Amino acid sequence: MGKYVCDACGWVYDPAIGDPDHGIAPGTSFADLPDDWTCPECGVGKDSFSKQE
Amino acid sequence: MNSIAKAIKISDKVYWVGAVDWTIRDFHGYRTSRGTTYNAYLIMADKITLIDTVKAPFRDELLSRISSVVNPSEIDYIVSNHAEMDHSGCLPQIIDIVKPEKVFASTMGQKNLEAQLGIGSRITPVKTGDSLSLGNMNLSFIETKMLHWPDSMFTYLKEEQILFSQDAFGMHLAVDKLFDDENVWDVLEEEGEKYFGNILMPYSNLIIKLLDDVGKMNLPIKLVATDHGPIWRTHIGKILELYRKWSEHKPVPRAIVVYDTMWNSTAIMANAVGEGLRETGVEFKILPLSVSHRSDVATEILKSSAIIVGSPTMNNNIFPTIADVLTYLKGLRPSNMIGASFSSYGWSGESLPQMNEYLKSMNVELASEGVRAKYVPSETDLKACFELGKLVGDKLRAKIQ
């Protein structure tokens, strides 16, 4: 499962860590994040993330 | 507090109550050669509402202007469109003085106002699509996350068709006349471009999306009331068009040569690169960093599609002013650029590969590995610099066709 980086603020979503503060369990792939999930750091939506190379 | 400064009426029920900063020349590293304004607006609806405040030292100017219309304690609501200190710095004190019924900000605004000023508990969060009745008038909110901070949002006043756009469409320009058409267009375009280049360029993709989204809302807009510089009234279409153009940053036949020099070797090379560019008919500008501020380089890169950087090697490193500008430009993420480097050196010559690495990390497409000259450039070195300029110019032309 790949990491995804926020195009706007640079925050990185790591599936191994998830986003527990917002109810996302460790092990959740980026694709499985709910559509209304937003970057915990700056608030932009999933469509503003890119796969980290 | 004195009461000399008065509000300026901008529509039937709305007043500008901001502050003009004629002095500022360094705005967190951005050279503000013409000063700036911190705009705040007072809506005299049934529920009297203040949109944004000003930088902390200008609190009395804000209060004086408000007091010329209404006693500040009669303000019912405050809306914070942007949590950055130049618009929120005196918000805690204004809340203490005004004792408003409610203070509104975006959800991210609530977080950021808490983190900066400890006033999160006073904030009622709002989100895109929410509206707020002021009795006889209505506000609605559009979050504009990362344009240019996480908290940023627009507020729209339906009855008077005013979009309060915080920093978007703004510029650092101290003015006595508040409306766009009362000022010189060329100055507005120049300062608007500089503001975009230095503040908004990294978020160009989000801006394109926002322009599309707001376009679809079909909001009638009579005034775009920004947080810095003049209010748009006559040239709204023009500034929206420019924002789209700047965000897209499509290739244009224009290049910049940015350099600094120790014993003039890099300077001679820069001029040779320029002559090579001239040969291709590509427009160019040479920016010696001894006389060019980083924020002016950012404006120039917004107008260009190629960057050629020159640096001496100093103690095995890139020259400090070049590192400054490249760090700054990297953060601003200009798109669609091609580029190259050149350097002079005495013994080790590390600056060329270091600059190339920098350019690659900025996603600049390198036209070649660059040119390096030992001590004083020879005729052969200068020919190579000329060819480098020519190569970049030709590649740029090929990209445009």
Side-chain angles (χ1 to χ4, degrees):
Chain A
M1 282 190 289
K3 293 179 184 177
Y4 280 73
V5 59
C6 174
D7 296 335
C9 79
W11 185 82
V12 177
Y13 178 77
D14 181 349
I17 299 167
D19 180 15
D21 289 351
H22 301 94
I24 307 296
T28 307
S29 73
F30 185 80
D32 288 340
L33 290 170
D35 288 342
D36 60 356
W37 178 85
T38 57
C39 174
E41 206 55 57
C42 77
V44 302
K46 271 180 85 173
D47 58 347
S48 291
F49 275 73
S50 307
K51 197 168 190 335
Q52 196 171 53
E53 299 303 329
Chain B
M1 189 197 88
N2 69 52
S3 55
I4 294 294
K6 303 276 192 292
I8 299 174
K9 198 171 184 179
I10 63 163
S11 73
D12 192 28
K13 292 272 195 293
V14 181
Y15 295 81
W16 175 84
V17 290
V20 185
D21 189 343
W22 297 97
T23 311
I24 192 165
R25 291 294 180 272
D26 181 353
F27 193 102
H28 60 48
Y30 170 153
R31 183 170 288 169
T32 45
S33 308
R34 292 180 167 116
T36 194
T37 69
Y38 312 108
N39 298 336
Y41 302 94
L42 185 68
I43 305 172
M44 293 302 293
D46 292 344
K47 290 283 190 185
I48 299 173
T49 302
L50 177 66
I51 308 274
D52 284 322
T53 64
V54 296
K55 199 172 169 179
F58 294 85
R59 183 198 59 187
D60 284 357
E61 189 172 336
L62 170 73
L63 285 170
S64 172
R65 293 194 200 280
I66 294 171
S67 302
S68 71
V69 181
V70 67
N71 186 325
S73 65
E74 291 188 33
I75 291 173
D76 299 287
Y77 296 151
I78 301 177
V79 175
S80 168
N81 274 337
H82 183 19
E84 196 167 4
M85 294 279 197
D86 47 338
H87 312 293
S88 70
C90 68
L91 183 56
Q93 293 165 306
I94 296 295
I95 291 174
D96 285 346
I97 294 165
V98 166
K99 296 184 180 59
E101 198 181 312
K102 281 184 172 173
V103 184
F104 300 92
S106 65
T107 310
M108 298 306 286
Q110 183 181 33
K111 272 195 196 174
N112 289 0
L113 289 168
E114 173 60 25
Q116 291 181 92
L117 302 163
I119 55 170
S121 63
R122 294 298 318 269
I123 307 295
T124 304
V126 292
K127 55 183 192 308
T128 296
D130 286 356
S131 52
L132 174 68
S133 167
L134 308 181
N136 57 339
M137 302 180 103
N138 292 281
L139 292 180
S140 55
F141 305 104
I142 305 162
E143 290 167 274
T144 60
K145 290 167 184 172
M146 291 313 281
L147 296 174
H148 68 111
W149 271 25
D151 48 77
S152 304
M153 71 170 184
F154 289 174
T155 296
Y156 179 68
L157 176 62
K158 189 178 159 198
E159 286 70 17
E160 308 225 322
Q161 303 180 356
I162 302 177
L163 184 70
F164 298 98
S165 67
Q166 38 93 22
D167 281 351
F169 315 116
M171 66 187 68
H172 288 309
L173 178 64
V175 288
D176 60 335
K177 303 282 187 202
L178 273 183
F179 286 103
D180 53 357
D181 50 54
E182 299 171 313
N183 290 278
V184 178
W185 167 257
D186 288 355
V187 174
L188 301 185
E189 185 173 7
E190 188 182 319
E191 292 298 342
E193 188 167 46
K194 184 169 189 179
Y195 193 88
F196 188 100
N198 281 273
I199 304 287
L200 293 163
M201 186 154 55
Y203 313 114
S204 292
N205 288 337
L206 294 175
I207 292 171
I208 294 171
K209 214 187 287 177
L210 179 73
L211 290 172
D212 290 344
D213 289 349
V214 172
K216 279 181 212 146
M217 290 178 188
N218 273 322
L219 295 175
I221 297 174
K222 272 193 187 146
L223 298 180
V224 176
T226 75
D227 271 359
H228 293 293
I231 296 164
W232 299 103
R233 169 172 73 183
T234 301
H235 302 305
I236 295 174
K238 260 165 130 174
I239 190 68
L240 289 174
E241 214 174 279
L242 283 173
Y243 260 57
R244 190 171 286 279
K245 178 182 137 188
W246 294 331
S247 302
E248 288 174 350
H249 203 227
K250 286 185 181 156
V252 289
R254 187 174 190 275
I256 53 171
V257 181
V258 181
Y259 78 93
D260 210 338
T261 194
M262 290 169 71
W263 293 107
N264 215 37
S265 293
T266 318
I268 298 168
M269 296 172 82
N271 287 320
V273 170
E275 292 309 314
L277 285 165
R278 189 195 305 280
E279 191 81 356
T280 65
V282 160
E283 195 186 320
F284 68 97
K285 192 164 189 176
I286 297 184
L287 298 160
L289 289 184
S290 52
V291 293
S292 309
H293 193 263
R294 72 172 82 84
S295 52
D296 292 317
V297 178
T299 316
E300 292 297 337
I301 210 167
L302 180 60
K303 291 192 255 197
S304 308
S305 298
I307 177 169
I308 311 177
V309 194
S311 172
T313 295
M314 187 190 216
N315 300 327
N316 310 106
N317 270 291
I318 194 169
F319 202 65
T321 54
I322 297 290
D324 174 319
V325 161
L326 287 178
T327 305
Y328 190 67
L329 292 180
K330 184 179 170 184
L332 293 172
R333 291 186 261 164
S335 59
N336 272 332
M337 300 292 297
I338 65 171
S341 308
F342 58 95
S343 82
S344 64
Y345 71 107
W347 44 99
S348 57
E350 287 92 339
S351 68
L352 188 72
Q354 287 174 4
M355 283 187 287
N356 282 342
E357 278 313 304
Y358 240 113
L359 293 176
K360 278 185 216 159
S361 74
M362 291 165 63
N363 291 323
V364 173
E365 183 196 330
L366 285 185
S368 86
E369 283 308 303
V371 176
R372 199 160 65 161
K374 191 161 179 145
Y375 287 104
V376 174
S378 65
E379 191 64 29
T380 314
D381 294 330
L382 291 180
K383 187 83 188 39
C385 289
F386 177 89
E387 290 302 331
L388 183 70
K390 203 164 164 292
L391 177 70
V392 171
D394 285 340
K395 287 211 175 211
L396 191 50
R397 286 213 163 277
K399 193 172 167 179
I400 292 162
Q401 275 156 14

